């Protein structure tokens, strides 16, 4: 379905501005005084799965870089590809989830990562599911909330000094967020694991979907990010270069059928592959090693990486502004996805409303049936045993026929049957 394009008005000359008032100057000084001393200078990069290039893949990301207030928030959401089999685009769910998290952060300001994730899940009311990782710089502490197998790493002096861990129900089945009305037994933001890492100027924060972590070990992530970041002319350029370099390395490993990837190692040590099929080891795994293969290779997937350098806010306003402008285009793309999803959201709300009506009707029917059964169980017999025993066979058969009950058989059985009739 085509996306409605916004109407662009012609720009008009701006009237000359009056000099800022004393109150405005004071307000500006207060904002600067309250600015966090450290900031995340971030840029992102993405490489869709080759089969999903036309729709831009199924990952989404966001970054809030503030040259005035400092701090910063990063997030990545990875749509669960299994929904494609149901005719649902999981990429749209991931983009709306990212949009709603960013909107909550912009609205509330100091929103905790887990709270932003909870608001995003609550407001993303369309089919689909996604893993999600959100990190926020609070002073000199990086706080993270993670659901699923996306994640973050903090790199310092060429090595990883902080990291999240993956949440999985079983191998290759990560925890995932979905609209609660469509997934009553699904995971939620309340299940998110939370992490804290104390950071300092010069640290490099790497946030990524599992397309990165399934294909690149931490040691290589640290080496590639450090090398690319260090060669750049400034922190904004360094973040962009490092993100691109990590995407390139991850895609190269994904295409290498002999690469001993993190994904291959995880598969080899798991008891089951994809929650039921026997793992791909044993005779054929051993034969593969004898022939020089050595592993199952990388995992082809969407790959999304955000890299952020930790900088001193007061000394880096220019590069922070540059990074912020670079992230704005991605933010606008998320907003367009949100507009597109509003059509699907209306359909979902109708479905949810209909389902609730059907559930209510079913509960009412069950309640009525239970009430009737209870009334029957508590009702007194229509005839006492003494009355039944005093009746002859023709009378008993007639009474049974009038009540729609079988009237053939031995007399004693007929007496027992009539004695069981309730007076309703």
């Amino acid at each position: 379905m085509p996306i409605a394009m916004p109407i662009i008005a012609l720009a008009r000359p701006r009237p000359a501005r009056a000099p800022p008032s004393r109150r405005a100057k004071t307000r500006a000084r207060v904002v600067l005084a309250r600015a966090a001393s450290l900031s995340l200078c971030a840029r992102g990069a993405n490489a869709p799965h080759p089969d999903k290039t036309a729709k831009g893949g199924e990952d989404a990301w966001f970054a809030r870089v503030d040259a005035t207030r400092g701090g910063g928030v990063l997030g990545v959401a990875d749509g669960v590809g299994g929904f494609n089999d149901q005719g649902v685009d999981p990429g749209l769910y991931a983009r709306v989830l990212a949009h709603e998290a960013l909107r909550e952060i912009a609205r509330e300001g100091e929103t905790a990562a887990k709270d932003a994730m909870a608001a995003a899940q609550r407001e993303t009311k369309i089919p689909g599911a996604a893993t999600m990782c959100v990190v926020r710089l609070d002073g000199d502490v990086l706080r993270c909330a993670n659901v699923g197998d996306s994640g973050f790493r903090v790199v310092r002096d060429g090595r990883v000094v902080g990291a999240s861990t993956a949440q999985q129900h079983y191998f290759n089945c990560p925890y995932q967020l979905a609209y609660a009305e469509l997934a009553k037994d699904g995971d939620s933001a309340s299940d998110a694991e939370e992490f804290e890492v104390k950071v300092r100027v010069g640290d490099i924060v790497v946030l990524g979907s599992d397309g990165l972590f399934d294909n690149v070990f931490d040691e290589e992530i640290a080496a590639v990010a450090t090398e690319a970041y260090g060669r750049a002319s400034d922190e904004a350029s360094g973040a962009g270069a490092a993100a691109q370099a990590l995407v390139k390395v991850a895609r190269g490993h994904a295409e290498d059928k002999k690469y001993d990837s993190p994904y291959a190692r995880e598969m080899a040590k798991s008891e089951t592959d994809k929650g039921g099929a026997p793992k791909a080891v044993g005779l054929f795994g051993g034969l593969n090693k004898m022939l020089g293969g050595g592993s199952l290779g990388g995992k082809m997937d969407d790959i999304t990486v955000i890299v952020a350098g930790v900088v001193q806010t007061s000394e880096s306003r220019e590069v922070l502004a540059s990074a912020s402008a670079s992230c704005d285009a991605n933010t606008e793309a998320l907003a367009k996805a949100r507009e597109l999803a509003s059509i699907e959201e209306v359909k979902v709300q109708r479905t949810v409303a209909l389902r609730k009506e059907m559930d209510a009707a079913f509960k009412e029917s069950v309640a009525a049936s239970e009430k009737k059964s209870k009334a029957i169980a508590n009702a007194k017999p229509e005839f006492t045993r003494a009355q039944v025993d005093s009746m002859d066979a023709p009378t008993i058969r007639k009474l049974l026929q009038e009540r729609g009950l079988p009237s053939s058989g031995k007399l004693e059985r007929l007496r027992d049957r009539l004695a069981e009739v309730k007076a309703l």
Side-chain angles (χ1 to χ4, degrees):
M1 182 174 292
I3 301 174
M5 299 300 293
I7 298 175
I8 303 175
L10 296 176
R12 296 181 178 178
R14 293 183 178 178
R17 292 184 178 179
S21 65
R22 180 178 299 176
R23 179 177 295 179
K25 291 180 179 179
T26 302
R27 206 162 38 234
R29 283 197 295 269
V30 169
V31 170
L32 291 175
R34 291 178 179 174
S37 61
L38 299 182
S39 294
L40 295 176
C41 184
R43 281 186 174 167
N46 168 267
H49 187 293
D51 296 339
K52 303 171 184 178
T53 301
K55 66 175 182 176
E58 296 168 353
D59 286 354
W61 65 276
F62 67 85
R64 189 185 189 204
V65 179
D66 195 327
T68 302
R69 296 182 180 274
V73 185
L74 316 174
V76 64
D78 181 356
V80 177
F83 278 85
N84 283 299
D85 297 335
Q86 303 177 29
V88 172
D89 178 10
L92 182 61
Y93 182 89
R95 293 181 182 94
V96 175
L97 192 71
H99 170 84
E100 291 297 340
L102 186 56
R103 185 163 71 170
E104 177 69 12
I105 290 162
R107 178 169 52 236
E108 299 296 333
E110 300 301 312
T111 308
K114 194 169 185 176
D115 292 339
M117 185 183 292
Q121 182 181 18
R122 186 171 57 251
E123 296 302 322
T124 305
K125 303 174 183 179
I126 58 175
T131 66
M132 191 174 208
C133 184
V134 179
V135 299
R136 173 174 171 263
L137 183 59
D138 183 8
D140 64 349
V141 177
L142 192 74
R143 305 185 192 279
C144 166
N146 183 63
V147 168
D149 53 6
S150 294
F152 81 95
R153 303 290 186 267
V154 176
V155 178
R156 179 181 301 154
D157 299 328
R159 63 189 184 90
V160 172
V161 296
S164 59
T165 54
Q167 283 183 311
Q168 296 191 101
H169 293 288
Y170 48 82
F171 174 69
N172 211 30
C173 180
Y175 282 41
Q176 50 201 256
L177 303 177
Y179 182 35
E181 293 290 352
L182 300 179
K184 296 292 186 181
D185 299 323
D187 306 311
S188 74
S190 62
D191 298 313
E193 285 189 298
E194 297 182 276
F195 306 86
E196 292 185 359
V197 180
K198 196 166 185 177
V199 296
R200 64 192 188 198
V201 173
D203 285 353
I204 302 171
V205 179
V206 177
L207 194 69
S209 61
D210 67 327
L212 171 66
F213 302 113
D214 280 343
N215 289 298
V216 190
F217 289 98
D218 281 4
E219 294 80 0
E220 190 172 15
I221 289 175
V224 170
T226 301
E227 197 274 335
Y229 189 86
R231 283 191 290 106
S233 57
D234 59 61
E235 293 86 347
S237 299
Q244 293 285 356
L246 286 170
V247 167
K248 183 177 180 179
V249 168
R251 175 48 55 83
H253 289 332
E255 294 172 344
D256 186 350
K257 301 302 181 183
K258 295 183 179 181
Y259 174 60
D260 187 16
S261 68
Y263 179 80
R265 291 191 183 185
E266 187 66 25
M267 178 183 284
K269 73 179 182 181
S270 67
E271 293 183 357
T272 60
D273 176 14
K274 298 183 179 179
K279 61 183 180 180
V281 293
L283 173 61
F284 293 101
L287 180 60
N288 184 42
K289 289 188 177 183
M290 290 173 60
L291 296 175
S295 73
L296 298 175
K299 179 189 177 186
M300 186 56 68
D301 201 353
D302 298 317
I303 302 166
T304 297
V305 179
I306 311 169
V307 173
V310 179
V311 300
Q312 196 77 40
T313 306
S314 59
E315 299 174 2
S316 309
R317 300 197 187 281
E318 187 174 341
V319 293
L320 286 170
S322 173
S324 179
S326 176
C327 294
D328 285 347
N330 178 69
T331 302
E332 291 174 5
L334 295 179
K336 289 182 179 179
R338 187 67 186 87
E339 292 176 9
L340 181 64
S342 62
I343 300 172
E344 184 65 27
E345 192 173 65
V346 172
K347 297 178 183 177
V348 169
Q349 293 310 303
R350 288 174 181 168
T351 300
V352 169
L354 179 60
R355 180 181 295 175
K356 287 182 177 179
E357 289 178 9
M358 293 174 65
D359 287 346
F362 177 73
K363 289 179 181 178
E364 186 178 344
S365 175
V366 170
S369 177
E370 290 177 347
K371 183 178 180 180
K372 183 177 180 180
S373 298
K374 187 175 181 180
I376 293 174
N378 294 333
K380 294 180 179 180
E382 186 175 357
F383 304 98
T384 65
R385 187 70 205 195
Q387 289 174 317
V388 173
D389 289 342
S390 66
M391 297 176 186
D392 57 17
T395 301
I396 292 175
R397 287 192 174 92
K398 180 181 178 182
L399 291 172
L400 288 173
Q401 288 174 349
E402 290 174 350
R403 286 152 183 75
L405 297 173
S407 58
S408 62
K410 294 182 178 180
L411 181 59
E412 283 308 310
R413 181 69 191 99
L414 297 179
R415 292 184 191 280
D416 291 341
R417 189 176 298 157
L418 185 60
E420 293 171 357
V421 175
K422 301 284 187 174
L424 299 177

